[in-house]
Amino acid sequence: MTKIIELLSAVEHPAMEGDIVSLGIAADLKIADAQGGELDPEAEGVDEKIASIKFKLVFPSPDPFSADLKKECEEILEREFPEASVTIIEMVAPRRETKRTVDELNDQELKKIGKIIAVASGKGGVGKSTVTVNLAAALCRKGYKVGIVDADIYGPSIPKMTGTEGISPLVEQATNLIVPIEKWGMKILSIGHLVEPEQALIWRGPMACNALKQLIMQVKWGELDYLLIDLPPGTGDIHISLVHDIPLAGAVIVTTPGQVAIADVIKNVNMFKHRDINIPIYGLIENMAWFTPAELPHNRYYIFGKDGGRKMAQETGIPFLGSIPIYMSVSEGGDTGMPAAMGDNPVAAAFASISTSLEK
Ligand code: ADP
């Protein structure tokens, strides 16, 4: 059996979780001998006879890492098979028919939305959903019509945060569009409103992408000034496909100030800036920047380090939009309270100020 498969199995996709063989990206391997005769990859001792190697790298959608991966494969194979010619065809998987239909159907709805903005983070737990809900609330407070989509299939926390858990959205019969849930004057739809969390977690690549696109496109949003999308954390295939297919006006990136977060921020920035995607980045929001205890209202404790977010923004060349302090009741939400940004507190001021960057 040829060792090509084993060699390619060691090539990891930098953003998706897995190697190019198990992700199904490397495909259609064809090997031939010096006379051009096709060889059987399974045959014993076949590697001695290989004179040409051809295969495809098929990406689910335009991929910022495709050229790097192709180069890496070429280098590995040319090193192992110095006598052989190596041809790698890089391509994007053809689109499915269903997608076009969905697009056509919902173009009308999407045209009614002023700006669709993605809220992204490199990893979970940095407060991406909290920031999404509160930015939306800050914009709503300024009089804009705002919608929120919770596309975080790994942990849809917006139903809980907005006290809309357990509510199932209706589907308008005539149009087959999902009717979003309304709360505090905002329109809200989460993947958690449609499926059980465990179900969403096991979705892989294309299935998750299609479901998430429907969650955004197959919805009766009506007239909106802003639609904020709480993306799943990370920069995997789901993200690349989503940000490629949704007409985004721009993205904001959320991080905590910690040093380790910079690598994640860089990945996010690179994803949005990649030439095939090319989505403007409004900038970086630093969440959980400091803590002020109630009994010492003038003190700021920089638990994760001071000015980390500002430095990260500088290093990655994107604007710094502002910091949000740690505030215990930030996500009380639910039936007990409104999003902090709708109240009168230090976080509301921070969100009001940051939301002005989205108005430009
Ligand atoms: P993510 O969407 O990035 O996974 P969440 O928004 O769900 O993160 O936040 C993770 C946890 O951190 C939640 O319990 C949330 O209440 C808390 N949290 C987020 N931002 C703040 C903040 N500024 N102050 C206090 N707690 C916060």
Side-chain angles (χ1 to χ4, degrees), residues 124-130 157 161 287-288 324-327 330-331:
V126 300
K128 179 175 47 57
S129 306
T130 308
S157 48
M161 232 173 245
N287 188 29
M288 308 198 217
I324 296 147
I326 295 175
Y327 180 69
V330 70
S331 60

Side-chain angles (χ1 to χ4, degrees), residues 39-255:
L39 295 168
D40 176 6
E42 301 288 333
E44 197 61 33
V46 67
D47 281 350
E48 316 306 54
K49 301 182 200 149
I50 293 178
S52 92
I53 303 170
K54 281 188 194 162
F55 66 93
K56 290 178 187 156
L57 288 178
V58 187
F59 295 90
S61 60
D63 190 311
F65 300 102
S66 58
D68 290 348
L69 286 168
K70 182 178 173 197
K71 194 152 162 265
E72 193 178 340
C73 294
E74 277 166 355
E75 282 169 6
I76 292 174
L77 294 175
E78 280 162 6
R79 197 165 50 235
E80 285 294 321
F81 298 92
E83 307 297 323
S85 73
V86 176
T87 314
I88 304 174
I89 300 164
E90 203 187 315
M91 60 185 287
V92 173
R95 293 194 172 210
R96 294 188 199 156
E97 273 311 298
T98 49
K99 191 190 162 293
R100 216 185 57 217
T101 333
V102 169
D103 275 1
E104 280 165 8
L105 191 83
N106 303 309
D107 246 14
Q108 296 298 89
E109 279 302 306
L110 286 185
K111 279 192 191 123
K112 295 185 203 158
I113 304 175
K115 284 184 184 172
I116 308 183
I117 297 171
V119 183
S121 75
K123 57 184 170 83
V126 300
K128 179 175 47 57
S129 306
T130 308
V131 168
T132 309
V133 169
N134 281 282
L135 268 184
L139 289 166
C140 184
R141 197 175 182 174
K142 291 181 182 174
Y144 293 110
K145 294 195 186 81
V146 185
I148 305 172
V149 174
D150 176 10
D152 188 348
I153 46 166
Y154 305 118
S157 48
I158 283 183
K160 190 156 186 234
M161 232 173 245
T162 54
T164 58
E165 234 175 349
I167 301 180
S168 297
L170 302 172
V171 173
E172 192 183 62
Q173 295 247 309
T175 55
N176 217 14
L177 296 175
I178 306 169
V179 182
I181 294 162
E182 295 206 25
K183 182 101 190 224
W184 304 310
M186 302 190 286
K187 293 185 176 169
I188 302 167
L189 190 59
S190 166
I191 194 80
H193 289 133
L194 303 177
V195 295
E196 295 298 323
E198 312 81 64
Q199 228 180 318
L201 258 179
I202 55 168
W203 287 347
R204 288 280 171 257
M207 194 172 165
C209 288
N210 284 337
L212 294 182
K213 275 174 218 159
Q214 281 188 23
L215 189 71
I216 298 160
M217 310 230 236
Q218 210 163 345
V219 180
K220 198 172 175 62
W221 291 111
E223 302 277 341
L224 286 183
D225 297 305
Y226 292 95
L227 179 65
L228 303 192
I229 306 181
D230 184 2
L231 287 184
T235 48
D237 53 343
I238 296 171
H239 306 74
I240 293 169
S241 171
L242 257 189
V243 299
H244 181 256
D245 288 348
I246 307 286
L248 290 174
V252 294
I253 300 173
V254 182
T255 181

